Amino acid sequence: MSARPDLATLRKEVLEANLAIAERGLAKFTFGNASGIDRASGLVVIKPSGVPYWQLKASDLVVTDLAGTVVEGTLRASSDLMTHLVLYRAFGAIGGVVHTHSHYATVWAQAGQALPCYGTTHADYFHGAIPVTAPLGRTAIATEYESNTGHAIVECLGAQDPLRMPAALVANHASFCWGKSVAAAVEIAAVLEEVAEMAYHTRTLHPDVAPIAPELLDRHFLRKHGPAATYGQPDDAR
């Protein structure tokens, strides 16, 4: 399969996304990766494994198909490639995936706890508690671990719309986020870390705090998302 002409643009977007997660402190050392998909061709552009962010160039990025076959690039793709591909195959509306080991989101993941929605900052981006996967069993770890991680994420989301719940915590691991574009997925990853820190401190201050009321959750989420959204400016007003 040959690369499509617009992959140059996607390469640029994926490079910028990988640099952004490092610059925002979401991905230290080489902990993390970002990818984007061209739905027309079914090709995915992803960070190469183990390459420091400060050394990364667009030409270093790896292009694969949805089965994981490399079609462009000389470097080894991210070790999380198969997790990204499972998410792209399961969630047809998404255009980008970001994986980081950002501190507070990873704390919740390592604790094996879903991230409760305690306030409107969280509700503006996530329609409820951010789910955590069930721990992987021995067989799932020993065989196709990365793909099984993706399947665990899909399973923990259940019937939820992935654009209403654009993140999940992988038990004992860290977070995966997604969006309509890879830039949107970066924003989700940044917000996730912020609300994870807020929730940690909220629960520390008030261990018995209750989650946000469903009515307030809906009010804040739906004013930013969906056909009746009122947040921001109409496209024709800018």
Side-chain angles (χ1 to χ4, degrees), residues 83-175:
T83 306
H84 289 237
L85 297 184
V86 169
L87 298 179
Y88 286 127
R89 292 196 297 264
F91 305 150
I94 70 172
V97 174
V98 167
H99 169 53
T100 77
H101 289 241
S102 62
H103 182 89
Y104 282 93
T106 303
V107 166
W108 288 91
Q110 291 183 165
Q113 294 189 28
L115 178 55
C117 181
Y118 289 133
T120 60
T121 309
H122 181 134
D124 280 341
Y125 286 83
F126 307 96
H127 197 220
I130 297 165
V132 63
T133 68
L136 293 180
R138 290 183 179 180
T139 301
I141 294 169
T143 60
E144 300 183 357
Y145 166 67
E146 289 80 13
S147 292
N148 289 330
T149 297
H151 293 309
I153 293 169
V154 174
E155 183 177 350
C156 87
L157 242 69
Q160 294 183 88
D161 181 341
L163 293 179
R164 288 191 168 209
M165 183 50 62
L169 305 175
V170 177
N172 308 120
H173 188 172
S175 64

Side-chain angles (χ1 to χ4, degrees), residues 41 72 126 190 192:
S41 64
E72 277 189 18
F126 307 96
L192 171 61

